[in-house]
Amino acid sequence: MKSIMDELLSWFFQVREEYYFRKHRNPYRVWIAEVVLQQTRIQAALEPLQRFFHIFPDVESLSNATEQEVLQAFKGLGYYSRARNLKKGAEYICQHFQGQLPQTSQELLKIPSIGPYTAAAIASICFQEVIPVVDGNIKRILARIHRWNECQDTMNFAKKCTKFLLPLYKKSQHTPGDMNEAWMELGQKICLLRPKCSLCPISSFCQGFQHNDVEKYPVKKQKKEKIHVDWHVFIIRNKANILLQKWGNFYFLQNQTSLPSTLIFEDKTISSFQNLPIPSISEKKYSNPIKHAITHHNIHIYSHIIDNLSIPDKILQQENCFWTPQQNAPNHLVASALLKIFAKQK
């Protein structure tokens, strides 16, 4: 009888996708791709990821870029804190590893942006280290195979996954990179939130399938109620220019260039400015907001166009604001929500 790994790999070699970042096992590309794909669906990421690799083909080019250039290139891949961490990681690799990613998971863990999952992926796929990757897909698969009746978001759960996988990897004749990618592919194509059990190559090994209760696993974590935010964006124009603001430690988009804004929560109101001569927001309900959702937040975005507003240079400096030609604004704005707002202005 074939083992679970033999069945899984037999299926994987028939259906595997030859994504461009998998070719030649380039450690730099595997690193960037694995960081991105942890929180972005692969089909949505393919085109912007290819653009990112075109702009930054190697560690050195990423290290030498400005933060703004990296954020700009990261458009479409979301979670811009990852872009900053990738740049920090590239700088660290150039400073400590002569621009080459190290070959062991323990050394890789020293690099900003690289956690246990990414370190295991790079080390196994590129350097054949016998180490399992454990991400959300693999946790979901193993929770169903074993009918583990506990939340997957714990260190203990991750350890159980590794304890099950590691002996399989050590006994198998297959390469660890192929084994890890096979589990990933199964999670992306078959063992989904709504699983396709009839197509699963390892259903005969799955206790959840045998008991006909696959969808009960993994045990669902109680969801946090999302915070509602009304985000009022001020599009301030003066002739052919538009006013932008470099945000510091603001609630959203920290350290990014944005538009002056006010956020209204149920229990508080915060603004990205104090001294700009902007009319106060009335209590009336505005119509046709742009709806936008990010982690733990439901956002309604309202835009307010203000023309020919005179602002003294002293206040511009205080508020970290600057004028830029309107056609150049998209080069400064990286958040998709702000680009939608800017595109809708009349």
Side-chain angles (χ1 to χ4, degrees), residues 19-42:
Y19 298 121
Y20 55 84
F21 52 81
R22 278 182 173 169
K23 294 178 181 177
H24 312 302
R25 296 299 197 238
N26 180 308
Y28 169 73
R29 288 193 167 203
V30 171
W31 167 42
I32 303 296
E34 292 301 337
V35 169
V36 166
L37 295 176
Q38 285 180 62
Q39 293 176 299
T40 305
R41 289 183 303 105
I42 194 163

mmCIF file with all atom_site columns, all heavy atoms in Angstrom, residues 19-42:
data_model
loop_
_atom_site.group_PDB
_atom_site.id
_atom_site.type_symbol
_atom_site.label_atom_id
_atom_site.label_alt_id
_atom_site.label_comp_id
_atom_site.label_asym_id
_atom_site.label_entity_id
_atom_site.label_seq_id
_atom_site.pdbx_PDB_ins_code
_atom_site.Cartn_x
_atom_site.Cartn_y
_atom_site.Cartn_z
_atom_site.occupancy
_atom_site.B_iso_or_equiv
_atom_site.pdbx_formal_charge
_atom_site.auth_seq_id
_atom_site.auth_comp_id
_atom_site.auth_asym_id
_atom_site.auth_atom_id
_atom_site.pdbx_PDB_model_num
ATOM 1   N N   . TYR A 1 19 ? 4.402  27.972 -11.725 1.00 0.00 ? 19 TYR A N   1
ATOM 2   C CA  . TYR A 1 19 ? 4.481  29.418 -11.529 1.00 0.00 ? 19 TYR A CA  1
ATOM 3   C C   . TYR A 1 19 ? 5.909  29.902 -11.788 1.00 0.00 ? 19 TYR A C   1
ATOM 4   O O   . TYR A 1 19 ? 6.884  29.202 -11.472 1.00 0.00 ? 19 TYR A O   1
ATOM 5   C CB  . TYR A 1 19 ? 4.076  29.781 -10.111 1.00 0.00 ? 19 TYR A CB  1
ATOM 6   C CG  . TYR A 1 19 ? 2.649  29.417 -9.772  1.00 0.00 ? 19 TYR A CG  1
ATOM 7   C CD1 . TYR A 1 19 ? 2.364  28.553 -8.723  1.00 0.00 ? 19 TYR A CD1 1
ATOM 8   C CD2 . TYR A 1 19 ? 1.580  29.931 -10.508 1.00 0.00 ? 19 TYR A CD2 1
ATOM 9   C CE1 . TYR A 1 19 ? 1.060  28.209 -8.405  1.00 0.00 ? 19 TYR A CE1 1
ATOM 10  C CE2 . TYR A 1 19 ? 0.271  29.589 -10.198 1.00 0.00 ? 19 TYR A CE2 1
ATOM 11  C CZ  . TYR A 1 19 ? 0.019  28.734 -9.140  1.00 0.00 ? 19 TYR A CZ  1
ATOM 12  O OH  . TYR A 1 19 ? -1.264 28.397 -8.847  1.00 0.00 ? 19 TYR A OH  1
ATOM 13  N N   . TYR A 1 20 ? 6.022  31.108 -12.320 1.00 0.00 ? 20 TYR A N   1
ATOM 14  C CA  . TYR A 1 20 ? 7.342  31.612 -12.710 1.00 0.00 ? 20 TYR A CA  1
ATOM 15  C C   . TYR A 1 20 ? 8.291  31.712 -11.523 1.00 0.00 ? 20 TYR A C   1
ATOM 16  O O   . TYR A 1 20 ? 9.491  31.538 -11.661 1.00 0.00 ? 20 TYR A O   1
ATOM 17  C CB  . TYR A 1 20 ? 7.218  32.987 -13.397 1.00 0.00 ? 20 TYR A CB  1
ATOM 18  C CG  . TYR A 1 20 ? 6.479  34.020 -12.573 1.00 0.00 ? 20 TYR A CG  1
ATOM 19  C CD1 . TYR A 1 20 ? 7.117  34.766 -11.607 1.00 0.00 ? 20 TYR A CD1 1
ATOM 20  C CD2 . TYR A 1 20 ? 5.114  34.223 -12.755 1.00 0.00 ? 20 TYR A CD2 1
ATOM 21  C CE1 . TYR A 1 20 ? 6.442  35.692 -10.845 1.00 0.00 ? 20 TYR A CE1 1
ATOM 22  C CE2 . TYR A 1 20 ? 4.420  35.147 -12.001 1.00 0.00 ? 20 TYR A CE2 1
ATOM 23  C CZ  . TYR A 1 20 ? 5.078  35.879 -11.048 1.00 0.00 ? 20 TYR A CZ  1
ATOM 24  O OH  . TYR A 1 20 ? 4.405  36.795 -10.292 1.00 0.00 ? 20 TYR A OH  1
ATOM 25  N N   . PHE A 1 21 ? 7.751  31.959 -10.319 1.00 0.00 ? 21 PHE A N   1
ATOM 26  C CA  . PHE A 1 21 ? 8.640  32.104 -9.166  1.00 0.00 ? 21 PHE A CA  1
ATOM 27  C C   . PHE A 1 21 ? 9.100  30.736 -8.634  1.00 0.00 ? 21 PHE A C   1
ATOM 28  O O   . PHE A 1 21 ? 9.934  30.674 -7.737  1.00 0.00 ? 21 PHE A O   1
ATOM 29  C CB  . PHE A 1 21 ? 7.974  32.913 -8.042  1.00 0.00 ? 21 PHE A CB  1
ATOM 30  C CG  . PHE A 1 21 ? 6.610  32.421 -7.641  1.00 0.00 ? 21 PHE A CG  1
ATOM 31  C CD1 . PHE A 1 21 ? 6.463  31.350 -6.778  1.00 0.00 ? 21 PHE A CD1 1
ATOM 32  C CD2 . PHE A 1 21 ? 5.470  33.053 -8.129  1.00 0.00 ? 21 PHE A CD2 1
ATOM 33  C CE1 . PHE A 1 21 ? 5.212  30.907 -6.406  1.00 0.00 ? 21 PHE A CE1 1
ATOM 34  C CE2 . PHE A 1 21 ? 4.208  32.615 -7.762  1.00 0.00 ? 21 PHE A CE2 1
ATOM 35  C CZ  . PHE A 1 21 ? 4.080  31.529 -6.900  1.00 0.00 ? 21 PHE A CZ  1
ATOM 36  N N   . ARG A 1 22 ? 8.546  29.651 -9.167  1.00 0.00 ? 22 ARG A N   1
ATOM 37  C CA  . ARG A 1 22 ? 9.011  28.314 -8.777  1.00 0.00 ? 22 ARG A CA  1
ATOM 38  C C   . ARG A 1 22 ? 10.176 27.854 -9.654  1.00 0.00 ? 22 ARG A C   1
ATOM 39  O O   . ARG A 1 22 ? 10.861 26.892 -9.313  1.00 0.00 ? 22 ARG A O   1
ATOM 40  C CB  . ARG A 1 22 ? 7.871  27.298 -8.909  1.00 0.00 ? 22 ARG A CB  1
ATOM 41  C CG  . ARG A 1 22 ? 6.918  27.281 -7.734  1.00 0.00 ? 22 ARG A CG  1
ATOM 42  C CD  . ARG A 1 22 ? 5.851  26.206 -7.934  1.00 0.00 ? 22 ARG A CD  1
ATOM 43  N NE  . ARG A 1 22 ? 5.030  26.058 -6.736  1.00 0.00 ? 22 ARG A NE  1
ATOM 44  C CZ  . ARG A 1 22 ? 3.909  25.350 -6.697  1.00 0.00 ? 22 ARG A CZ  1
ATOM 45  N NH1 . ARG A 1 22 ? 3.471  24.744 -7.799  1.00 0.00 ? 22 ARG A NH1 1
ATOM 46  N NH2 . ARG A 1 22 ? 3.216  25.235 -5.584  1.00 0.00 ? 22 ARG A NH2 1
ATOM 47  N N   . LYS A 1 23 ? 10.376 28.505 -10.789 1.00 0.00 ? 23 LYS A N   1
ATOM 48  C CA  . LYS A 1 23 ? 11.388 28.048 -11.719 1.00 0.00 ? 23 LYS A CA  1
ATOM 49  C C   . LYS A 1 23 ? 12.788 28.317 -11.182 1.00 0.00 ? 23 LYS A C   1
ATOM 50  O O   . LYS A 1 23 ? 13.066 29.375 -10.608 1.00 0.00 ? 23 LYS A O   1
ATOM 51  C CB  . LYS A 1 23 ? 11.200 28.717 -13.082 1.00 0.00 ? 23 LYS A CB  1
ATOM 52  C CG  . LYS A 1 23 ? 9.898  28.288 -13.775 1.00 0.00 ? 23 LYS A CG  1
ATOM 53  C CD  . LYS A 1 23 ? 9.712  29.003 -15.101 1.00 0.00 ? 23 LYS A CD  1
ATOM 54  C CE  . LYS A 1 23 ? 8.406  28.570 -15.764 1.00 0.00 ? 23 LYS A CE  1
ATOM 55  N NZ  . LYS A 1 23 ? 8.152  29.293 -17.032 1.00 0.00 ? 23 LYS A NZ  1
ATOM 56  N N   . HIS A 1 24 ? 13.671 27.349 -11.373 1.00 0.00 ? 24 HIS A N   1
ATOM 57  C CA  . HIS A 1 24 ? 15.095 27.464 -11.037 1.00 0.00 ? 24 HIS A CA  1
ATOM 58  C C   . HIS A 1 24 ? 15.345 27.572 -9.531  1.00 0.00 ? 24 HIS A C   1
ATOM 59  O O   . HIS A 1 24 ? 16.484 27.766 -9.108  1.00 0.00 ? 24 HIS A O   1
ATOM 60  C CB  . HIS A 1 24 ? 15.747 28.658 -11.745 1.00 0.00 ? 24 HIS A CB  1
ATOM 61  C CG  . HIS A 1 24 ? 15.431 28.739 -13.200 1.00 0.00 ? 24 HIS A CG  1
ATOM 62  N ND1 . HIS A 1 24 ? 15.712 27.721 -14.085 1.00 0.00 ? 24 HIS A ND1 1
ATOM 63  C CD2 . HIS A 1 24 ? 14.815 29.723 -13.921 1.00 0.00 ? 24 HIS A CD2 1
ATOM 64  C CE1 . HIS A 1 24 ? 15.310 28.069 -15.296 1.00 0.00 ? 24 HIS A CE1 1
ATOM 65  N NE2 . HIS A 1 24 ? 14.748 29.264 -15.237 1.00 0.00 ? 24 HIS A NE2 1
ATOM 66  N N   . ARG A 1 25 ? 14.290 27.470 -8.714  1.00 0.00 ? 25 ARG A N   1
ATOM 67  C CA  . ARG A 1 25 ? 14.452 27.480 -7.256  1.00 0.00 ? 25 ARG A CA  1
ATOM 68  C C   . ARG A 1 25 ? 15.302 28.658 -6.769  1.00 0.00 ? 25 ARG A C   1
ATOM 69  O O   . ARG A 1 25 ? 16.212 28.516 -5.967  1.00 0.00 ? 25 ARG A O   1
ATOM 70  C CB  . ARG A 1 25 ? 15.080 26.158 -6.787  1.00 0.00 ? 25 ARG A CB  1
ATOM 71  C CG  . ARG A 1 25 ? 14.194 24.931 -7.042  1.00 0.00 ? 25 ARG A CG  1
ATOM 72  C CD  . ARG A 1 25 ? 12.899 25.079 -6.293  1.00 0.00 ? 25 ARG A CD  1
ATOM 73  N NE  . ARG A 1 25 ? 12.185 23.821 -6.168  1.00 0.00 ? 25 ARG A NE  1
ATOM 74  C CZ  . ARG A 1 25 ? 10.955 23.617 -6.605  1.00 0.00 ? 25 ARG A CZ  1
ATOM 75  N NH1 . ARG A 1 25 ? 10.324 24.589 -7.229  1.00 0.00 ? 25 ARG A NH1 1
ATOM 76  N NH2 . ARG A 1 25 ? 10.351 22.470 -6.414  1.00 0.00 ? 25 ARG A NH2 1
ATOM 77  N N   . ASN A 1 26 ? 14.992 29.833 -7.282  1.00 0.00 ? 26 ASN A N   1
ATOM 78  C CA  . ASN A 1 26 ? 15.719 31.043 -6.910  1.00 0.00 ? 26 ASN A CA  1
ATOM 79  C C   . ASN A 1 26 ? 15.328 31.453 -5.482  1.00 0.00 ? 26 ASN A C   1
ATOM 80  O O   . ASN A 1 26 ? 14.166 31.759 -5.227  1.00 0.00 ? 26 ASN A O   1
ATOM 81  C CB  . ASN A 1 26 ? 15.356 32.158 -7.904  1.00 0.00 ? 26 ASN A CB  1
ATOM 82  C CG  . ASN A 1 26 ? 16.045 33.456 -7.610  1.00 0.00 ? 26 ASN A CG  1
ATOM 83  O OD1 . ASN A 1 26 ? 16.003 33.958 -6.497  1.00 0.00 ? 26 ASN A OD1 1
ATOM 84  N ND2 . ASN A 1 26 ? 16.678 34.019 -8.620  1.00 0.00 ? 26 ASN A ND2 1
ATOM 85  N N   . PRO A 1 27 ? 16.266 31.449 -4.523  1.00 0.00 ? 27 PRO A N   1
ATOM 86  C CA  . PRO A 1 27 ? 15.913 31.734 -3.128  1.00 0.00 ? 27 PRO A CA  1
ATOM 87  C C   . PRO A 1 27 ? 15.268 33.106 -2.941  1.00 0.00 ? 27 PRO A C   1
ATOM 88  O O   . PRO A 1 27 ? 14.357 33.259 -2.110  1.00 0.00 ? 27 PRO A O   1
ATOM 89  C CB  . PRO A 1 27 ? 17.257 31.654 -2.392  1.00 0.00 ? 27 PRO A CB  1
ATOM 90  C CG  . PRO A 1 27 ? 18.123 30.822 -3.275  1.00 0.00 ? 27 PRO A CG  1
ATOM 91  C CD  . PRO A 1 27 ? 17.690 31.109 -4.676  1.00 0.00 ? 27 PRO A CD  1
ATOM 92  N N   . TYR A 1 28 ? 15.742 34.112 -3.676  1.00 0.00 ? 28 TYR A N   1
ATOM 93  C CA  . TYR A 1 28 ? 15.166 35.450 -3.559  1.00 0.00 ? 28 TYR A CA  1
ATOM 94  C C   . TYR A 1 28 ? 13.697 35.441 -3.959  1.00 0.00 ? 28 TYR A C   1
ATOM 95  O O   . TYR A 1 28 ? 12.840 35.968 -3.242  1.00 0.00 ? 28 TYR A O   1
ATOM 96  C CB  . TYR A 1 28 ? 15.952 36.428 -4.434  1.00 0.00 ? 28 TYR A CB  1
ATOM 97  C CG  . TYR A 1 28 ? 15.298 37.785 -4.603  1.00 0.00 ? 28 TYR A CG  1
ATOM 98  C CD1 . TYR A 1 28 ? 15.281 38.702 -3.554  1.00 0.00 ? 28 TYR A CD1 1
ATOM 99  C CD2 . TYR A 1 28 ? 14.696 38.149 -5.812  1.00 0.00 ? 28 TYR A CD2 1
ATOM 100 C CE1 . TYR A 1 28 ? 14.683 39.947 -3.705  1.00 0.00 ? 28 TYR A CE1 1
ATOM 101 C CE2 . TYR A 1 28 ? 14.101 39.387 -5.972  1.00 0.00 ? 28 TYR A CE2 1
ATOM 102 C CZ  . TYR A 1 28 ? 14.100 40.279 -4.916  1.00 0.00 ? 28 TYR A CZ  1
ATOM 103 O OH  . TYR A 1 28 ? 13.498 41.519 -5.070  1.00 0.00 ? 28 TYR A OH  1
ATOM 104 N N   . ARG A 1 29 ? 13.384 34.811 -5.080  1.00 0.00 ? 29 ARG A N   1
ATOM 105 C CA  . ARG A 1 29 ? 11.997 34.778 -5.548  1.00 0.00 ? 29 ARG A CA  1
ATOM 106 C C   . ARG A 1 29 ? 11.112 33.951 -4.614  1.00 0.00 ? 29 ARG A C   1
ATOM 107 O O   . ARG A 1 29 ? 9.959  34.315 -4.364  1.00 0.00 ? 29 ARG A O   1
ATOM 108 C CB  . ARG A 1 29 ? 11.929 34.221 -6.973  1.00 0.00 ? 29 ARG A CB  1
ATOM 109 C CG  . ARG A 1 29 ? 12.468 35.194 -8.011  1.00 0.00 ? 29 ARG A CG  1
ATOM 110 C CD  . ARG A 1 29 ? 12.105 34.756 -9.410  1.00 0.00 ? 29 ARG A CD  1
ATOM 111 N NE  . ARG A 1 29 ? 12.346 35.835 -10.360 1.00 0.00 ? 29 ARG A NE  1
ATOM 112 C CZ  . ARG A 1 29 ? 11.751 35.949 -11.534 1.00 0.00 ? 29 ARG A CZ  1
ATOM 113 N NH1 . ARG A 1 29 ? 10.853 35.055 -11.904 1.00 0.00 ? 29 ARG A NH1 1
ATOM 114 N NH2 . ARG A 1 29 ? 12.016 36.947 -12.337 1.00 0.00 ? 29 ARG A NH2 1
ATOM 115 N N   . VAL A 1 30 ? 11.638 32.851 -4.125  1.00 0.00 ? 30 VAL A N   1
ATOM 116 C CA  . VAL A 1 30 ? 10.857 32.035 -3.181  1.00 0.00 ? 30 VAL A CA  1
ATOM 117 C C   . VAL A 1 30 ? 10.561 32.846 -1.932  1.00 0.00 ? 30 VAL A C   1
ATOM 118 O O   . VAL A 1 30 ? 9.432  32.826 -1.412  1.00 0.00 ? 30 VAL A O   1
ATOM 119 C CB  . VAL A 1 30 ? 11.614 30.734 -2.838  1.00 0.00 ? 30 VAL A CB  1
ATOM 120 C CG1 . VAL A 1 30 ? 10.915 29.990 -1.699  1.00 0.00 ? 30 VAL A CG1 1
ATOM 121 C CG2 . VAL A 1 30 ? 11.710 29.839 -4.073  1.00 0.00 ? 30 VAL A CG2 1
ATOM 122 N N   . TRP A 1 31 ? 11.544 33.568 -1.435  1.00 0.00 ? 31 TRP A N   1
ATOM 123 C CA  . TRP A 1 31 ? 11.348 34.412 -0.245  1.00 0.00 ? 31 TRP A CA  1
ATOM 124 C C   . TRP A 1 31 ? 10.230 35.423 -0.460  1.00 0.00 ? 31 TRP A C   1
ATOM 125 O O   . TRP A 1 31 ? 9.272  35.485 0.318   1.00 0.00 ? 31 TRP A O   1
ATOM 126 C CB  . TRP A 1 31 ? 12.673 35.106 0.087   1.00 0.00 ? 31 TRP A CB  1
ATOM 127 C CG  . TRP A 1 31 ? 12.589 36.228 1.076   1.00 0.00 ? 31 TRP A CG  1
ATOM 128 C CD1 . TRP A 1 31 ? 11.858 36.256 2.234   1.00 0.00 ? 31 TRP A CD1 1
ATOM 129 C CD2 . TRP A 1 31 ? 13.265 37.489 1.005   1.00 0.00 ? 31 TRP A CD2 1
ATOM 130 N NE1 . TRP A 1 31 ? 12.049 37.455 2.893   1.00 0.00 ? 31 TRP A NE1 1
ATOM 131 C CE2 . TRP A 1 31 ? 12.902 38.223 2.162   1.00 0.00 ? 31 TRP A CE2 1
ATOM 132 C CE3 . TRP A 1 31 ? 14.149 38.066 0.093   1.00 0.00 ? 31 TRP A CE3 1
ATOM 133 C CZ2 . TRP A 1 31 ? 13.398 39.509 2.406   1.00 0.00 ? 31 TRP A CZ2 1
ATOM 134 C CZ3 . TRP A 1 31 ? 14.650 39.330 0.353   1.00 0.00 ? 31 TRP A CZ3 1
ATOM 135 C CH2 . TRP A 1 31 ? 14.268 40.036 1.493   1.00 0.00 ? 31 TRP A CH2 1
ATOM 136 N N   . ILE A 1 32 ? 10.343 36.217 -1.508  1.00 0.00 ? 32 ILE A N   1
ATOM 137 C CA  . ILE A 1 32 ? 9.344  37.261 -1.749  1.00 0.00 ? 32 ILE A CA  1
ATOM 138 C C   . ILE A 1 32 ? 7.962  36.636 -1.960  1.00 0.00 ? 32 ILE A C   1
ATOM 139 O O   . ILE A 1 32 ? 6.955  37.077 -1.388  1.00 0.00 ? 32 ILE A O   1
ATOM 140 C CB  . ILE A 1 32 ? 9.726  38.119 -2.975  1.00 0.00 ? 32 ILE A CB  1
ATOM 141 C CG1 . ILE A 1 32 ? 11.117 38.750 -2.799  1.00 0.00 ? 32 ILE A CG1 1
ATOM 142 C CG2 . ILE A 1 32 ? 8.665  39.196 -3.213  1.00 0.00 ? 32 ILE A CG2 1
ATOM 143 C CD1 . ILE A 1 32 ? 11.258 39.718 -1.672  1.00 0.00 ? 32 ILE A CD1 1
ATOM 144 N N   . ALA A 1 33 ? 7.899  35.596 -2.779  1.00 0.00 ? 33 ALA A N   1
ATOM 145 C CA  . ALA A 1 33 ? 6.611  34.973 -3.090  1.00 0.00 ? 33 ALA A CA  1
ATOM 146 C C   . ALA A 1 33 ? 5.957  34.387 -1.851  1.00 0.00 ? 33 ALA A C   1
ATOM 147 O O   . ALA A 1 33 ? 4.747  34.558 -1.633  1.00 0.00 ? 33 ALA A O   1
ATOM 148 C CB  . ALA A 1 33 ? 6.800  33.890 -4.155  1.00 0.00 ? 33 ALA A CB  1
ATOM 149 N N   . GLU A 1 34 ? 6.726  33.720 -1.019  1.00 0.00 ? 34 GLU A N   1
ATOM 150 C CA  . GLU A 1 34 ? 6.132  33.093 0.167   1.00 0.00 ? 34 GLU A CA  1
ATOM 151 C C   . GLU A 1 34 ? 5.644  34.136 1.169   1.00 0.00 ? 34 GLU A C   1
ATOM 152 O O   . GLU A 1 34 ? 4.597  33.952 1.805   1.00 0.00 ? 34 GLU A O   1
ATOM 153 C CB  . GLU A 1 34 ? 7.131  32.150 0.835   1.00 0.00 ? 34 GLU A CB  1
ATOM 154 C CG  . GLU A 1 34 ? 7.467  30.915 0.010   1.00 0.00 ? 34 GLU A CG  1
ATOM 155 C CD  . GLU A 1 34 ? 6.242  30.061 -0.316  1.00 0.00 ? 34 GLU A CD  1
ATOM 156 O OE1 . GLU A 1 34 ? 5.230  30.134 0.403   1.00 0.00 ? 34 GLU A OE1 1
ATOM 157 O OE2 . GLU A 1 34 ? 6.301  29.324 -1.314  1.00 0.00 ? 34 GLU A OE2 1
ATOM 158 N N   . VAL A 1 35 ? 6.345  35.244 1.321   1.00 0.00 ? 35 VAL A N   1
ATOM 159 C CA  . VAL A 1 35 ? 5.872  36.316 2.197   1.00 0.00 ? 35 VAL A CA  1
ATOM 160 C C   . VAL A 1 35 ? 4.552  36.875 1.679   1.00 0.00 ? 35 VAL A C   1
ATOM 161 O O   . VAL A 1 35 ? 3.598  37.082 2.435   1.00 0.00 ? 35 VAL A O   1
ATOM 162 C CB  . VAL A 1 35 ? 6.936  37.433 2.315   1.00 0.00 ? 35 VAL A CB  1
ATOM 163 C CG1 . VAL A 1 35 ? 6.350  38.664 2.998   1.00 0.00 ? 35 VAL A CG1 1
ATOM 164 C CG2 . VAL A 1 35 ? 8.146  36.939 3.106   1.00 0.00 ? 35 VAL A CG2 1
ATOM 165 N N   . VAL A 1 36 ? 4.485  37.117 0.379   1.00 0.00 ? 36 VAL A N   1
ATOM 166 C CA  . VAL A 1 36 ? 3.270  37.682 -0.228  1.00 0.00 ? 36 VAL A CA  1
ATOM 167 C C   . VAL A 1 36 ? 2.098  36.715 -0.128  1.00 0.00 ? 36 VAL A C   1
ATOM 168 O O   . VAL A 1 36 ? 0.990  37.089 0.271   1.00 0.00 ? 36 VAL A O   1
ATOM 169 C CB  . VAL A 1 36 ? 3.532  38.050 -1.701  1.00 0.00 ? 36 VAL A CB  1
ATOM 170 C CG1 . VAL A 1 36 ? 2.230  38.308 -2.441  1.00 0.00 ? 36 VAL A CG1 1
ATOM 171 C CG2 . VAL A 1 36 ? 4.443  39.274 -1.790  1.00 0.00 ? 36 VAL A CG2 1
ATOM 172 N N   . LEU A 1 37 ? 2.338  35.442 -0.447  1.00 0.00 ? 37 LEU A N   1
ATOM 173 C CA  . LEU A 1 37 ? 1.237  34.493 -0.595  1.00 0.00 ? 37 LEU A CA  1
ATOM 174 C C   . LEU A 1 37 ? 0.670  34.006 0.732   1.00 0.00 ? 37 LEU A C   1
ATOM 175 O O   . LEU A 1 37 ? -0.352 33.330 0.752   1.00 0.00 ? 37 LEU A O   1
ATOM 176 C CB  . LEU A 1 37 ? 1.695  33.295 -1.442  1.00 0.00 ? 37 LEU A CB  1
ATOM 177 C CG  . LEU A 1 37 ? 2.050  33.645 -2.883  1.00 0.00 ? 37 LEU A CG  1
ATOM 178 C CD1 . LEU A 1 37 ? 2.577  32.423 -3.620  1.00 0.00 ? 37 LEU A CD1 1
ATOM 179 C CD2 . LEU A 1 37 ? 0.841  34.215 -3.620  1.00 0.00 ? 37 LEU A CD2 1
ATOM 180 N N   . GLN A 1 38 ? 1.307  34.372 1.831   1.00 0.00 ? 38 GLN A N   1
ATOM 181 C CA  . GLN A 1 38 ? 0.720  34.026 3.118   1.00 0.00 ? 38 GLN A CA  1
ATOM 182 C C   . GLN A 1 38 ? -0.575 34.789 3.368   1.00 0.00 ? 38 GLN A C   1
ATOM 183 O O   . GLN A 1 38 ? -1.432 34.334 4.110   1.00 0.00 ? 38 GLN A O   1
ATOM 184 C CB  . GLN A 1 38 ? 1.709  34.312 4.259   1.00 0.00 ? 38 GLN A CB  1
ATOM 185 C CG  . GLN A 1 38 ? 2.826  33.289 4.343   1.00 0.00 ? 38 GLN A CG  1
ATOM 186 C CD  . GLN A 1 38 ? 3.789  33.592 5.475   1.00 0.00 ? 38 GLN A CD  1
ATOM 187 O OE1 . GLN A 1 38 ? 3.415  33.610 6.642   1.00 0.00 ? 38 GLN A OE1 1
ATOM 188 N NE2 . GLN A 1 38 ? 5.041  33.866 5.144   1.00 0.00 ? 38 GLN A NE2 1
ATOM 189 N N   . GLN A 1 39 ? -0.712 35.967 2.763   1.00 0.00 ? 39 GLN A N   1
ATOM 190 C CA  . GLN A 1 39 ? -1.898 36.783 3.034   1.00 0.00 ? 39 GLN A CA  1
ATOM 191 C C   . GLN A 1 39 ? -2.600 37.289 1.772   1.00 0.00 ? 39 GLN A C   1
ATOM 192 O O   . GLN A 1 39 ? -3.522 38.083 1.858   1.00 0.00 ? 39 GLN A O   1
ATOM 193 C CB  . GLN A 1 39 ? -1.506 37.983 3.917   1.00 0.00 ? 39 GLN A CB  1
ATOM 194 C CG  . GLN A 1 39 ? -1.079 37.564 5.316   1.00 0.00 ? 39 GLN A CG  1
ATOM 195 C CD  . GLN A 1 39 ? -0.605 38.747 6.133   1.00 0.00 ? 39 GLN A CD  1
ATOM 196 O OE1 . GLN A 1 39 ? 0.365  39.416 5.778   1.00 0.00 ? 39 GLN A OE1 1
ATOM 197 N NE2 . GLN A 1 39 ? -1.274 39.008 7.227   1.00 0.00 ? 39 GLN A NE2 1
ATOM 198 N N   . THR A 1 40 ? -2.165 36.818 0.610   1.00 0.00 ? 40 THR A N   1
ATOM 199 C CA  . THR A 1 40 ? -2.780 37.246 -0.648  1.00 0.00 ? 40 THR A CA  1
ATOM 200 C C   . THR A 1 40 ? -3.030 36.023 -1.522  1.00 0.00 ? 40 THR A C   1
ATOM 201 O O   . THR A 1 40 ? -2.140 35.186 -1.676  1.00 0.00 ? 40 THR A O   1
ATOM 202 C CB  . THR A 1 40 ? -1.848 38.225 -1.396  1.00 0.00 ? 40 THR A CB  1
ATOM 203 O OG1 . THR A 1 40 ? -1.514 39.316 -0.523  1.00 0.00 ? 40 THR A OG1 1
ATOM 204 C CG2 . THR A 1 40 ? -2.525 38.770 -2.644  1.00 0.00 ? 40 THR A CG2 1
ATOM 205 N N   . ARG A 1 41 ? -4.232 35.909 -2.066  1.00 0.00 ? 41 ARG A N   1
ATOM 206 C CA  . ARG A 1 41 ? -4.554 34.771 -2.927  1.00 0.00 ? 41 ARG A CA  1
ATOM 207 C C   . ARG A 1 41 ? -3.610 34.726 -4.126  1.00 0.00 ? 41 ARG A C   1
ATOM 208 O O   . ARG A 1 41 ? -3.283 35.757 -4.709  1.00 0.00 ? 41 ARG A O   1
ATOM 209 C CB  . ARG A 1 41 ? -6.000 34.845 -3.415  1.00 0.00 ? 41 ARG A CB  1
ATOM 210 C CG  . ARG A 1 41 ? -7.049 34.587 -2.361  1.00 0.00 ? 41 ARG A CG  1
ATOM 211 C CD  . ARG A 1 41 ? -8.443 34.600 -2.955  1.00 0.00 ? 41 ARG A CD  1
ATOM 212 N NE  . ARG A 1 41 ? -8.739 35.858 -3.650  1.00 0.00 ? 41 ARG A NE  1
ATOM 213 C CZ  . ARG A 1 41 ? -8.761 35.993 -4.959  1.00 0.00 ? 41 ARG A CZ  1
ATOM 214 N NH1 . ARG A 1 41 ? -8.496 34.962 -5.752  1.00 0.00 ? 41 ARG A NH1 1
ATOM 215 N NH2 . ARG A 1 41 ? -9.047 37.159 -5.510  1.00 0.00 ? 41 ARG A NH2 1
ATOM 216 N N   . ILE A 1 42 ? -3.211 33.522 -4.497  1.00 0.00 ? 42 ILE A N   1
ATOM 217 C CA  . ILE A 1 42 ? -2.170 33.370 -5.509  1.00 0.00 ? 42 ILE A CA  1
ATOM 218 C C   . ILE A 1 42 ? -2.586 33.958 -6.849  1.00 0.00 ? 42 ILE A C   1
ATOM 219 O O   . ILE A 1 42 ? -1.790 34.607 -7.528  1.00 0.00 ? 42 ILE A O   1
ATOM 220 C CB  . ILE A 1 42 ? -1.751 31.882 -5.640  1.00 0.00 ? 42 ILE A CB  1
ATOM 221 C CG1 . ILE A 1 42 ? -0.447 31.790 -6.425  1.00 0.00 ? 42 ILE A CG1 1
ATOM 222 C CG2 . ILE A 1 42 ? -2.861 31.040 -6.268  1.00 0.00 ? 42 ILE A CG2 1
ATOM 223 C CD1 . ILE A 1 42 ? 0.260  30.468 -6.264  1.00 0.00 ? 42 ILE A CD1 1
#
